[in-house]
Every structure is written in structure tokens, then in C-alpha cells.
Amino acid sequence: MSIAPVTDLRDVRDARAATSLDRLPVDLIEDLPNAVADESPARRGHGDSFDRVQSSLQAWLRTWQPQRLPAFTPVRDVAPTGLAGASALRSSASAPDGAVRVTASLYDPPTRGEGALTWSRNWASTAVLPPARESGRLFYRFRASSRLVLDGQADLGLMSTSVHFGIVADAAKASPFETPGFRTPIVRPLVGVPCKADQDASASHVFEGSIAVRQGETPALAFVVGTELLFENGWVRVHEGTSTWIGPVEPGATGTVEYRYAPTALLRVLGHLD
């Protein structure tokens, strides 16, 4: 690397004039060794440092607000007809922990001979978030999980779980159950798990997304958890521990989803950085 020489002293004078430093403050500089220490804010401050901005942004990036889900409410309960005394796919009493727990003890005699039997149940929960204080975007995240603890011996025995999810910007204007695509599960954690001896299957999926919101709007979200069982000629037991639940992304107590608002001003700054 080479340094270009200054060929004209006028270049130096022009540079000093451009920065208002056409004359050095010699007297002030000479007096510096004798200056008295001054710890006043005016002396210390050349404007605030970037530390406060950085720490605030880092804290905001790490912080998600939890939203508790109400207990799931039973909705659909489809079972085979004409089977006197047949056991049903049962669920324990719902609690506000984001989980639906299922048990069953089923028997299909070989003499019946009328095709496979089907049980299908689902449960729903809705939650309304606090109003948006500013226009911007609502970001959300959650984990959907299932576990099936099964036992059985049958010609056919398959069990599946599903989770539907919907969200709207304002509960006063729309229902999260009527969002486009709500009828299609956002995930089927476990599909066609065979009901055989000592079966214990688990699955978990993380979801993140966002939706535009305006100041004063109250977003709402909805979950529908489903369980299906296809069974023929034999016996099946669905043991305690079988459940599907909604919870936070990080390990912790179930029954909450996480959200945070990002105001338009912040998103605009991020857009400029991009």
C-alpha cells in the first residue's frame, strides 16, 4: 500500500477550512497538563453510548409473553353404532394445561364381520390476546406434541392424532375457526401408529409465524386437537399417558403459547438495515 504525497499546500488549507479547523487552539492544548479534573455530566458525556440500545434490544429479542390457553372443550365424539356394551374412546376431565388425555379398552369379536370400526374425537380451545398498543406485527410461536401408549392384538389397529390452528388480527371482526385452511391440520403429530404390545410413540413440532395488526385490535387464536382410532377383530388398550398437548417452544409447563408485538417503527428500522 502506498500513500499519495500532498503536492499542493492549498489542499491542506482547503481540508482545514472544510472542517472549521483552519487554526489549532494552541493555548488550550498547552494548558491541558494543568487542567483540573471535572466529573460533571457535561464533561463526561459526549452523548449516550450504544450500550443501552444494545442491551434493550437483546432483552427484547429474548423476551416472549406467555398466553395461557383455556381448558380444551370436547366437541366431536364419533363412535361405531349398534355395538351394545362396546367401550368408548374416553378422555379425562379437561384442565387448563393445554393437554387432552385419552384412554380406551376396546374389543371386537371375530364373529362380528362387518368391517373396521372407527372412533373419532376432537377438542377445542380459544384465547384472546391483549390489544395491540401500536400498529405492527404480532409474532407467535408454540409447540404441538403427541404421545400414544398402546397395547393390543387385532387384525387392524391404527391410531392417529391431529392439530388444527387458526389466528385472526381482531376477534371483534373475525373468528380464528374460519381462517383459510383451518380445516386442514397444521400438523398430524402421529399417523397410523399400530396398536401392538408395548407401543410408546411420541412426536413434537415447533411452529412460528406472524400476522399484521393495527392499534387497538385484539388478536385471537384457536386450537382443535383430534384423535382417531381404526380397529377390527381383536382387542386394543389405550393407556394413561396417551395425550396431545400445546406448549411453549422451550422446555417448561404446557398450556401456553408465546407472542410479542413488533411496532411498525421498529420493522421500518429493520427494513432500512436490510
Side-chain angles (χ1 to χ4, degrees):
M1 182 179 69
S2 62
I3 300 177
V6 177
T7 59
D8 193 338
L9 292 176
R10 286 178 298 181
D11 295 341
V12 177
R13 289 196 297 269
D14 292 344
R16 287 183 175 178
T19 58
S20 300
L21 289 177
D22 56 338
R23 187 175 64 85
L24 292 175
V26 177
D27 295 339
L28 176 62
I29 296 174
E30 288 180 343
D31 193 45
L32 286 179
N34 302 318
V36 179
D38 181 3
E39 293 298 325
S40 66
R43 177 64 186 89
R44 292 196 308 270
H46 294 285
D48 294 334
S49 72
F50 190 70
D51 290 347
R52 181 172 177 273
V53 176
Q54 183 177 10
S55 62
S56 296
L57 283 174
Q58 289 175 339
W60 181 82
L61 289 172
R62 291 192 299 264
T63 303
W64 288 80
Q65 300 299 323
Q67 174 64 44
R68 196 82 180 162
L69 290 177
F72 277 87
T73 300
V75 182
R76 183 181 68 231
D77 187 0
V78 176
T81 58
L83 294 180
S87 299
L89 193 64
R90 300 183 300 273
S91 65
S92 58
S94 298
D97 60 359
V100 172
R101 299 169 178 82
V102 178
T103 58
S105 180
L106 310 171
Y107 175 69
D108 181 31
T111 57
R112 185 181 59 84
E114 296 180 2
L117 304 174
T118 301
W119 284 260
S120 179
R121 299 197 64 180
N122 66 20
W123 301 259
S125 179
T126 61
V128 178
L129 302 181
R133 291 188 289 183
E134 299 180 56
S135 296
R137 292 194 74 83
L138 164 70
F139 291 84
Y140 59 86
R141 66 181 190 176
F142 60 88
R143 182 183 296 272
S145 307
S146 284
R147 183 188 180 197
L148 298 178
V149 185
L150 309 173
D151 193 8
Q153 185 174 349
D155 291 346
L156 175 66
L158 300 173
M159 196 165 185
S160 304
T161 62
S162 61
V163 177
H164 296 249
F165 170 74
I167 186 169
V168 293
D170 193 356
K173 299 176 182 177
S175 167
F177 293 102
E178 298 175 355
T179 54
F182 185 82
R183 296 179 65 86
T184 302
I186 189 174
V187 66
R188 293 178 64 82
L190 295 170
V191 179
V193 177
C195 303
K196 61 182 182 181
D198 299 323
Q199 178 72 277
D200 192 337
S202 300
S204 184
H205 301 267
V206 171
F207 296 92
E208 295 191 36
S210 67
I211 187 172
V213 294
R214 292 177 177 164
Q215 185 179 24
E217 290 184 331
T218 53
L221 48 85
F223 289 94
V224 174
V225 169
T227 301
E228 295 82 34
L229 175 62
L230 189 64
F231 168 59
E232 181 180 14
N233 188 18
W235 61 271
V236 166
R237 280 194 289 270
V238 180
H239 295 289
E240 291 186 3
T242 295
S243 59
T244 299
W245 65 95
I246 306 298
V249 171
E250 302 296 334
T254 61
T256 60
V257 297
E258 298 170 294
Y259 73 94
R260 62 182 174 195
Y261 290 109
T264 301
L266 175 60
L267 298 175
R268 190 175 293 120
V269 169
L270 295 177
H272 291 322
L273 294 178
D274 291 339

